[in-house]
Each structure stands twice: as structure tokens, then as C-alpha cells.
Amino acid sequence: MKAAVLAEVGTLGVEERPEPSVTEADEVVLDVEACGICGTDLNILSRPPAHPASVGVVLGHEFVGRVVEVGHRVHSLSIGDRVAVAPNLWCGECASCRRGLRNQCENGTTYGIFIDGGLAPRVAVKSRACFPVSTDLPAHVAALTEPLSTVVHGTRQANVFPGELAVVIGAGPIGAMFCALLAAAGATVTVIEPTPERARLALGFGAADVRAPGETEGLTGDVVVDAVGSQLGQALALAARGGRVLLFGMDERARAEVAQSRITRNEVTLVGSYVGQDVFPDAIRLLEQGRIDFSPLVTHRISVEELPNAVEELRAGRALKVEVEF
């Protein structure tokens, strides 16, 4: 089968790989329907990389598929079931796991980053990573489960109350999802985004206003979300007294110099938001209910052979959400 792999550090390759089969009793094999590409993948494919990954791994951690093979200890799934995959696996035995912080597992691993993921026609995964999803959802929408689940986690951490002011920095797919959920929670949302196309997208997802990065004078937020991963300084400057700053985006290379006294004097709360746990069912329910139409996020639906060119479209800002369909 043809798979998109991390051929070497910072380099995407499309290579022939053998089809996987069940090798452990608690595994299933999926026919992958669709797999999304996100900022993490772009960071992995940067030189130098801005996110770690295992060279040789099949990439892709945002995927949905149908069960075609089942290990003998799997009782929750049957052949033909359609599932979205929570890509982060935890060990259950480290200190963090025992404290209930499975998303902080000290021995954790991730499909599509450290072990083979969904940018291939078939993938073997643990059954506990699989969550049933309605067959009524188009594959390119169902594949949004993973990124949406992380935004569900972040929105809960933001602890928004109706009537509050929220500022979202960056209107990529994650920023747009934050707009939708923060607005649904009752906040008035302003987005900071320089790209006209993404600014229009944010307005369609519930933002009340969009500002360019240089047009933020007088703007404050009870909640400020850095959906980019490198905007700590700006986020702190926009936070109201007693406000909360949610740091969501990830960039291993990002560094910031901040005035610590401002945080202390204004009693600003900084919150890191990473992946989440126990959020997949809620993300799936949001997609299945259809109260928010997330399909406009997906601008490119392609084959795996077209992926190298699509990555360049993403880097150039000409694509928003790329999904490979099988």
C-alpha cells in the first residue's frame, strides 16, 4: 500500500509499505476513510523540526476508518464498525497516569507521530483508541474529531461564562473551532488574523469581529487563546485584569520574553492546554448533532500521492484543512 511517511528528518515521502495486520490481541485493523493534516504535521516536516517524530513512521493522527480485522480480546468492536481514533496512547502505570492525568503520560506515544498512523489505506490500532462515529457523517467531517476534541478540552479550561469577551489569536482550523465553541458558550469573540480568507472563515464560525495583528489597540479579553503557539507576549498584552490566557498552539522553537510583574499585578492566569482526555465522545456528539457546520474547514480533499504538493499549499496559506481520502 502507498503511505505518507517521515522519510527522513523534515522530509515527507510517499512509499510502498506492507499492509498491517493484527499482531496483538487488543488491536483492530482499520480501512482508513480520511486523514487530516494539521500544524503538528507541518512542524514535523520543518527543517529544523518544530515537533519531534520518529523517522520512518507513517504520518497522520487525525483519522477515521472502518474495522476490517479484530484481535481475539476485542469485544467492544466488530468488523464493519466505523470509528474515529484518539491517537494518544497512555501507559496507565506512570505517576501521571495514576493521578488521572493520562494526557500527561510519561511513557505515552502517538499514532502518526511515533508509531504508524492514518496516512495509509490501512492501519492497526488499539481498540481502546477507537470511538464509534455515525455513518451519516461524511468522512472528511468525521476526521475532524481529533482536532475538535482538543478544542473541547481547551474551551473547558478557558471556563468561559456568557457575556465575557474572548480573543483568539490565529484563525486557522483550530482558531475557527475555538471561535465556534467560545461563541456557543456565550462569549463575544474577536479574532486576530492577517489573512482575509481566514478572517472571513472566523466570522462564519461565530466571531463578532476580526482585527489585523497591528490593529489591537484598546482590545482586551477576559479569555485570550493563543491558537498559534508562539504568541505568549501578545496574549498577555491583550489579557484583561483578572483574565485567563490559554496557550494552545505548539511550537518547540518558540521563545518569549515577558514582563512577569504584569502577570502578578494583574492577576492573570496562564493555562497550558494539551490534547485532553475523555473528550472524544463530546467532540463526536458535536459533529453528529450538526448544530455547528464544521465542513467549511476542509478546503482540500486529495489522494495520498497529491500530499507533497498539498503540504506546500498549506505552508503558503492557500489551503486551510487538507484531508487525504482513501
Side-chain angles (χ1 to χ4, degrees):
M1 63 179 186
K2 285 190 176 180
V5 305
L6 183 61
E8 56 183 78
V9 174
T11 302
L12 173 68
V14 178
E15 302 177 358
E16 290 288 336
R17 288 293 178 89
E19 289 192 1
S21 59
V22 166
T23 58
E24 298 183 21
D26 61 346
E27 284 185 337
V28 298
V29 172
L30 306 180
D31 269 348
V32 179
E33 295 181 32
C35 181
I37 310 299
C38 77
T40 297
D41 298 301
L42 296 184
N43 285 336
I44 289 170
L45 295 171
S46 298
R47 287 178 176 263
H51 194 287
S54 298
V55 172
V57 75
V58 176
L59 296 168
H61 60 277
E62 303 178 358
F63 56 101
V64 62
R66 293 180 183 268
V67 177
V68 294
E69 187 180 350
V70 178
H72 73 266
R73 285 178 50 198
V74 176
H75 305 293
S76 60
L77 297 171
S78 302
I79 290 175
D81 287 350
R82 191 193 205 200
V83 297
V85 177
N88 296 281
L89 299 179
W90 63 91
C91 72
E93 298 179 355
C94 69
S96 294
C97 284
R98 291 181 184 276
R99 292 176 57 206
L101 302 174
R102 299 190 302 277
N103 64 328
Q104 299 295 324
C105 177
E106 297 155 34
N107 306 307
T109 190
T110 306
Y111 291 115
I113 296 178
F114 302 112
I115 50 180
D116 286 349
L119 280 174
R122 286 196 170 185
V123 61
V125 297
K126 297 289 188 183
S127 63
R128 63 185 171 94
C130 298
F131 291 79
V133 60
S134 172
T135 57
D136 292 335
L137 282 177
H140 68 283
V141 176
L144 295 172
T145 300
E146 193 279 335
L148 181 58
S149 74
T150 65
V151 176
V152 169
H153 177 62
T155 304
R156 286 176 175 168
Q157 290 176 294
N159 197 26
V160 172
F161 191 81
E164 287 192 312
L165 303 178
V167 178
V168 176
I169 304 174
I174 291 296
M177 287 179 174
F178 265 112
C179 288
L181 297 196
L182 291 170
T188 299
V189 182
T190 298
V191 172
I192 300 173
E193 172 57 51
T195 307
E197 294 80 4
R198 294 189 173 196
R200 286 193 291 271
L201 180 80
L203 292 171
F205 273 84
D209 188 22
V210 180
R211 306 274 189 98
E215 300 175 350
T216 60
E217 185 175 353
L219 179 64
T220 60
D222 301 299
V223 172
V224 182
V225 178
D226 174 9
V228 178
S230 60
Q231 302 298 308
L232 173 58
Q234 185 178 29
L236 287 172
L238 292 168
R241 292 177 183 269
R244 289 97 68 200
V245 171
L246 187 76
L247 302 178
F248 183 92
M250 289 276 290
D251 186 338
E252 294 282 343
R253 297 172 298 186
R255 299 292 184 269
E257 183 176 316
V258 300
Q260 183 172 326
S261 61
R262 182 188 183 110
I263 301 171
T264 304
R265 177 62 184 84
N266 292 350
E267 292 194 331
V268 174
T269 301
L270 294 182
V271 180
S273 183
Y274 180 70
V275 177
Q277 62 182 41
D278 304 324
V279 286
F280 249 64
D282 294 315
I284 289 170
R285 184 166 56 204
L286 278 169
L287 292 172
E288 290 177 344
Q289 287 178 345
R291 294 173 59 189
I292 301 170
D293 180 12
F294 290 100
S295 61
L297 294 175
V298 182
T299 56
H300 290 61
R301 298 164 63 184
I302 63 170
S303 68
V304 69
E305 292 87 354
E306 297 174 288
L307 185 55
N309 289 334
V311 167
E312 296 309 312
E313 292 291 294
L314 281 167
R315 291 197 189 285
R318 293 187 292 269
L320 185 65
K321 190 67 173 177
V322 169
E323 289 194 8
V324 173
E325 297 184 335
F326 297 95

